[in-house]
Amino acid sequence: MGIFEYNQDELLGTVESVDTSTAIIKVENDDKLRGLQVNHLVTIQSSKVGQHLIGLVSKIIRKSGFTDSAEDLTPDLSFNVVKVVLIGTHLDKEGLKENVFRRSLATVPTINAECYLINGERLKQFMQAVSSVPEGQDQICLQIGNYSIDEDATAWINGNKLFQRHAVIVGSTGSGKSWCVAKILEQVAELKSADALLFDIHGEYSTLEGDNFTHLKVAGPNDTISEGILFLPYWLLTYEEMLSLMLDRSDNNAPNQAMMFSNQVIKHKKDFLHGMGLEEMEANITLDSPIPYSLDKMIDCLTALDQEMVPGARAGTEKKGPYNGQFTRFIQRLETKRKDKRLNFMFSREESLLKYDYMDELCCKLMLPAQNGKKGVKIIDFSEVPSDILPLIVSLIARVVFSVQQWSQVGERHPIAIFCDEAHLYIPAHTEKSIDDASLVTFERISKEGRKYGVGLVVISQRPSEVNRTVLSQSNNFIAMRLTNADDQAVVKRLLPDSLGDYAEMLPILDIGEALIVGDASLLPSRIRIAPPKLKPRSATIDFWDEWAKETSAVNIRNAIEALRKQSK
């Protein structure tokens, strides 16, 4: 006997009208509306024996005098109305398994089909079907918490679909977003061949320690080459990225500077290959090929052109060369960047950074899975990277990872996920500088093509309205925690399926640690209470009143000023 065998006195109402994803239920008995709430689950009679359509209550109107139209509800009749969003099908039996829920709609309701509320013991049995691990999928289940509608039912999401089809995790400050990320990461880290990168912009996840986590830091002003320090030398930049960093496009000589810079880069890359005895590679390299070259030698060549004098028309006289004076400002900007201690990670003079094999070493740190002593989850601390070039540096790492994945043989390609914390800082909705444009190109490409090459993207932000729309629209999984800003709420509503638009109305009233989870990875679009992670990230929230109430404090202004001067914590 199926769990949805009802008595006639339990009838909520009957289907009055229906389209492909919603149904309007006519409720004649006022008492039936008592206790019914938005987001309650209902079952609607299916035309197939042993099947029941499952719906989510999205609107309740008592004695409305309304019925549905192409847009919404318009005055016409005089009875109680319940609007239901259809979300899946329950099967009494499928093969040898009983009590099975599927996210597909094999049929749609017929007019006058009976509708019943799922509550009490039936709700518990149904949630068992939802929260139980599907047969053969125990290895891909990621447990994130419990359903708010039934706290005994575990909410799981499909790990394959979560990363294959990208994910968005959003929530206002203090909503529990970091806990949610940590909860996912600690389960990823337990997998034997895990491979994930977390871009930690503020050092918030430094508390995630253990055998499965590796902590890396982009080199600060005083850092030298060591195991946990990342150096990202200038020769890893593409031509466009280098120009966005060095070139002042308002300069009248900018076209000549860009042209000569490109000539010099390709020349010195070829010179490097000659020095390594790799002349056969010359014909294959481009401006963007990650081949080391000497910046000192290139500046010397540009300086010579900038100061060049050529024979004049009269014997014994000289005149300015064709490029004399045109590179002065460009060279000054290049020298200024190179001497900036904050950019030590890019312009360090360490000889080992100009080795042909340096990129191999860098990518092994970033991309090797959790095998042979390597740790699966790599947390990269960007807290000492200057904010004005943060987008360029974050996207540089993402581009290197994507490029290596793209050029790997299919049988040798291991999937990797990139968690982008504080994504609005480097994947912005609106760009004002060429550095931001260069960053966007990388993340837009990963969002569109990453699935083909085994690169999953998880976009994490407290301001989804400030994150690039293309990247968000390519994500098919949404974990939305409390959002109080109207613009941010509007963005999430637009991203959700049309039939679940009303579902997002709960965003401003979610409790701390609660989330709406919708997407391919979630069996049931639902409100879920996220379980606390074992390793909690460092909270950015300071309890003002409690701190002010203490008799003593550990303030050290002098140390902070010295750290500011040294640009290093």
Side-chain angles (χ1 to χ4, degrees):
M1 182 177 178
I3 65 172
F4 295 136
E5 298 292 336
Y6 288 90
N7 299 320
Q8 195 61 30
D9 59 355
E10 296 178 276
L11 178 69
L12 175 64
T14 56
V15 173
E16 184 68 18
S17 66
V18 65
D19 61 24
T20 54
S21 60
T22 60
I24 302 299
I25 309 301
K26 175 182 177 181
V27 182
E28 296 181 341
N29 188 340
D30 284 1
D31 293 337
K32 293 296 182 182
L33 293 184
R34 292 176 184 172
L36 185 64
Q37 298 178 13
V38 170
N39 298 317
H40 270 182
L41 292 169
V42 297
T43 176
I44 300 176
Q45 184 181 27
S46 171
S47 57
K48 291 187 176 181
V49 177
Q51 294 188 9
H52 309 271
L53 300 173
I54 305 300
L56 199 66
V57 175
S58 65
K59 185 173 291 187
I60 306 169
I61 302 179
R62 183 183 182 190
K63 292 294 183 185
S64 62
F66 282 70
T67 188
D68 73 319
S69 69
E71 297 180 356
D72 202 340
L73 301 175
T74 54
D76 187 10
L77 302 175
S78 183
F79 51 77
N80 301 323
V81 166
V82 175
K83 185 178 179 182
V84 172
V85 176
L86 302 173
I87 59 174
T89 305
H90 178 273
L91 295 86
D92 291 340
K93 191 171 184 179
E94 186 180 50
L96 298 177
K97 195 169 184 181
E98 297 181 349
N99 192 19
V100 178
F101 176 71
R102 293 282 178 259
R103 276 289 304 276
S104 58
L105 292 173
T107 62
V108 292
T110 57
I111 298 299
N112 288 331
E114 297 178 347
C115 176
Y116 299 90
L117 177 64
I118 305 177
N119 59 6
E121 187 59 31
R122 289 191 182 92
L123 177 62
K124 288 189 176 296
Q125 292 183 52
F126 173 70
M127 294 309 295
Q128 287 174 10
V130 171
S131 61
S132 62
V133 178
E135 187 174 353
Q137 295 188 16
D138 55 317
Q139 295 298 317
I140 62 171
C141 286
L142 197 162
Q143 294 184 358
I144 198 167
N146 296 81
Y147 290 100
S148 296
I149 196 171
D150 181 1
E151 295 186 357
D152 293 329
T154 301
W156 63 270
I157 51 182
N158 186 304
N160 281 337
K161 294 179 180 179
L162 181 71
F163 296 112
Q164 285 171 347
R165 301 170 190 182
H166 308 311
V168 175
I169 302 176
V170 295
S172 299
T173 300
S175 63
K177 184 173 69 278
S178 299
W179 278 33
C180 178
V181 174
K183 180 67 178 175
I184 294 174
L185 280 175
E186 69 181 20
Q187 292 180 74
V188 170
E190 290 174 359
L191 301 177
K192 295 178 181 178
S193 298
D195 202 356
L197 291 174
L198 170 64
F199 295 158
D200 186 5
I201 305 304
H202 302 303
E204 190 175 352
Y205 295 90
S206 60
T207 54
L208 272 64
E209 298 177 342
D211 296 337
N212 301 321
F213 294 95
T214 294
H215 287 270
L216 304 170
K217 190 188 83 164
V218 177
N222 302 312
D223 289 323
T224 56
I225 292 179
S226 60
E227 182 62 28
I229 302 298
L230 287 182
F231 283 83
L232 305 167
Y234 55 85
W235 52 265
L236 287 174
L237 295 171
T238 65
Y239 172 65
E240 286 297 331
E241 289 170 345
M242 196 69 168
L243 288 186
S244 71
L245 183 65
M246 302 297 180
L247 188 66
D248 180 1
R249 297 189 184 274
S250 64
D251 193 323
N252 291 333
N253 295 316
N256 282 337
Q257 293 170 359
M259 179 268 296
M260 189 54 66
F261 176 73
S262 65
N263 292 342
Q264 290 294 319
V265 168
I266 197 73
K267 173 184 179 299
H268 285 87
K269 286 185 176 182
K270 289 181 178 180
D271 289 347
F272 179 88
L273 292 175
H274 272 277
M276 294 290 296
L278 298 171
E279 293 87 351
E280 71 278 2
M281 290 183 61
E282 275 190 36
N284 299 324
I285 70 166
T286 68
L287 267 174
D288 294 341
S289 297
I291 305 293
Y293 62 92
S294 171
L295 195 60
D296 290 335
K297 291 179 180 178
M298 191 181 74
I299 290 177
D300 290 343
C301 290
L302 290 175
T303 302
L305 289 170
D306 190 56
Q307 298 173 355
E308 183 183 26
M309 301 295 291
V310 297
R314 298 179 186 177
T317 63
E318 287 187 331
K319 65 177 182 179
K320 292 182 177 180
Y323 298 109
N324 188 291
Q326 293 192 18
F327 302 128
T328 306
R329 294 179 62 189
F330 182 78
I331 294 170
Q332 289 173 347
R333 283 193 295 273
L334 200 54
E335 289 282 15
T336 300
K337 294 287 186 185
R338 190 170 64 161
K339 292 176 181 177
D340 189 343
K341 289 288 288 181
R342 300 177 306 159
L343 304 183
N344 176 47
F345 60 85
M346 184 176 291
F347 296 110
S348 171
R349 306 234 178 193
E350 294 272 3
E351 291 184 4
S352 59
L353 298 178
L354 286 177
K355 292 192 307 182
Y356 184 77
D357 293 334
Y358 178 76
M359 188 172 177
D360 296 23
E361 298 173 10
L362 175 65
C363 290
C364 285
K365 282 185 179 181
L366 296 174
M367 299 180 63
L368 282 182
Q371 295 174 354
N372 302 321
K374 296 290 182 180
K375 300 178 181 180
V377 176
K378 281 76 71 172
I379 299 174
I380 305 176
D381 184 350
F382 289 88
S383 59
E384 293 188 24
V385 176
S387 59
D388 55 334
I389 66 164
L390 177 67
L392 182 65
I393 305 310
V394 174
S395 67
L396 167 60
I397 293 179
R399 176 177 55 76
V400 167
V401 169
F402 179 74
S403 298
V404 173
Q405 285 287 99
Q406 184 182 14
W407 287 98
S408 296
Q409 297 293 330
V410 174
E412 300 174 349
R413 187 178 291 152
H414 191 76
I416 185 169
I418 301 176
F419 288 74
C420 299
D421 193 36
E422 304 289 0
H424 54 278
L425 297 178
Y426 48 90
I427 316 179
H430 308 288
T431 60
E432 297 179 358
K433 299 178 293 185
S434 56
I435 283 182
D436 295 337
D437 291 331
S439 173
L440 274 184
V441 169
T442 295
F443 286 104
E444 286 187 351
R445 188 175 182 197
I446 292 175
S447 70
K448 294 173 184 175
E449 304 173 24
R451 180 179 59 83
K452 304 174 188 175
Y453 303 110
V455 182
L457 199 62
V458 180
V459 178
I460 308 158
S461 177
Q462 57 186 281
R463 293 304 314 274
S465 62
E466 296 180 7
V467 178
N468 179 263
R469 296 291 186 274
T470 299
V471 173
L472 290 180
S473 65
Q474 293 295 318
S475 302
N476 287 359
N477 297 290
F478 304 95
I479 302 177
M481 309 191 81
R482 184 173 63 191
L483 286 170
T484 54
N485 183 278
D487 292 337
D488 295 330
Q489 294 172 24
V491 169
V492 174
K493 289 176 184 177
R494 286 196 296 269
L495 292 171
L496 294 181
D498 292 340
S499 59
L500 292 173
D502 295 336
Y503 198 53
E505 299 295 339
M506 289 190 295
L507 287 172
I509 60 171
L510 291 173
D511 194 6
I512 294 174
E514 274 195 322
L516 301 182
I517 299 186
V518 178
D520 296 339
S522 175
L523 187 61
L524 182 71
S526 193
R527 183 173 176 174
I528 290 172
R529 183 169 293 280
I530 307 296
K534 297 174 185 175
L535 299 171
K536 298 175 177 58
R538 182 184 292 112
S539 174
T541 304
I542 296 177
D543 296 322
F544 281 66
W545 203 263
D546 292 347
E547 291 297 319
W548 291 342
K550 292 179 180 178
E551 293 185 7
T552 60
S553 63
V555 174
N556 194 323
I557 301 297
R558 182 179 293 277
N559 282 355
I561 293 172
E562 287 305 304
L564 172 62
R565 286 172 175 156
K566 295 176 182 177
Q567 286 292 295
S568 175
K569 295 181 180 179

